[in-house]
Amino acid sequence: MDPVLYYSVLKYTPSAIRLESINVGIAVHYPSGKFSHFFETKNKRRIRAFDDEYDPDFFKMVMDSLAYDLDYGKKSDVSTLNLNFPDEAKRFKNITKKDFLDSKISYLANEFRFSPIQSMSTNDEELDKDINDLKDMYLYYDKPKKGRIDTVKSFV
């Protein structure tokens, strides 16, 4: 199995007419490590500024649902949660399959949509760094200006 990291950016688009969007999360999947995780933005203030009709309860419900669907495995500093629900084995039976991420994110519509899945080469030693770089790139405003990333490893 090739050491490839798959990822997709979650965009929040409050109006299908205006088509303005903001990145609010990133889903990652590392089949060879049996690992998947959803990272949501920490900068809720930015979302409120973007959408003055933002509903924090609805937003939290969607984010919690995505974490339930995607969080599997434990990988040092990038995944701090391993819930071990009774149905976990069934929900993640295809965690080693290349199309796992697509099967988990393809159902979203309306205000929340994932970007097309992309991939990048990685390995067990670089995985944490690569995931953190992706988070820093796509959830750019979660960090103070001085701590923001300016480049990410090239894609596969």
Side-chain angles (χ1 to χ4, degrees):
M1 190 177 311
D2 292 334
V4 175
L5 176 66
Y6 297 96
Y7 64 95
S8 179
V9 178
L10 180 64
K11 296 181 175 298
Y12 173 58
T13 308
S15 168
I17 296 168
R18 289 186 305 280
L19 293 177
E20 297 172 312
S21 66
I22 184 174
N23 294 348
V24 295
I26 185 167
V28 298
H29 174 227
Y30 185 57
S32 64
K34 296 181 181 176
F35 174 73
S36 176
H37 199 83
F38 175 71
F39 299 96
E40 71 176 272
T41 184
K42 294 173 178 36
N43 195 340
K44 303 302 190 289
R45 188 181 64 200
R46 185 166 182 262
I47 299 167
R48 277 191 291 279
F50 176 74
D51 178 14
D52 62 0
E53 296 174 353
Y54 162 74
D55 179 348
D57 295 329
F58 175 70
F59 192 88
K60 181 179 179 344
M61 180 191 69
V62 172
M63 298 298 110
D64 289 348
S65 174
L66 289 167
Y68 175 80
D69 286 345
L70 291 164
D71 290 357
Y72 183 81
K74 197 168 183 99
K75 186 69 180 146
S76 67
D77 70 329
V78 294
S79 176
T80 58
L81 184 63
N82 191 357
L83 299 175
N84 292 320
F85 287 99
D87 64 343
E88 191 171 82
K90 181 180 175 185
R91 288 186 301 118
F92 294 98
K93 69 179 184 284
N94 63 342
I95 189 75
T96 60
K97 304 291 186 199
K98 177 181 176 179
D99 65 348
F100 169 83
L101 188 56
D102 187 53
S103 72
K104 295 290 186 176
I105 66 172
S106 60
Y107 67 91
L108 283 182
N110 300 327
E111 294 99 348
F112 296 94
R113 293 200 180 143
F114 278 97
S115 67
I117 296 171
Q118 297 186 56
S119 63
M120 64 188 292
S121 293
T122 192
N123 57 53
D124 293 344
E125 294 77 31
E126 295 290 317
L127 182 63
D128 286 347
K129 180 187 178 317
D130 290 340
I131 290 173
N132 284 320
D133 285 352
L134 287 169
K135 286 171 32 188
D136 289 350
M137 178 63 101
Y138 293 106
L139 302 178
Y140 186 77
Y141 297 100
D142 280 4
K143 286 196 168 188
K145 282 184 184 179
K146 290 185 179 188
R148 293 180 185 158
I149 192 170
D150 56 2
T151 59
V152 172
K153 185 175 169 180
S154 63
F155 307 119
V156 173

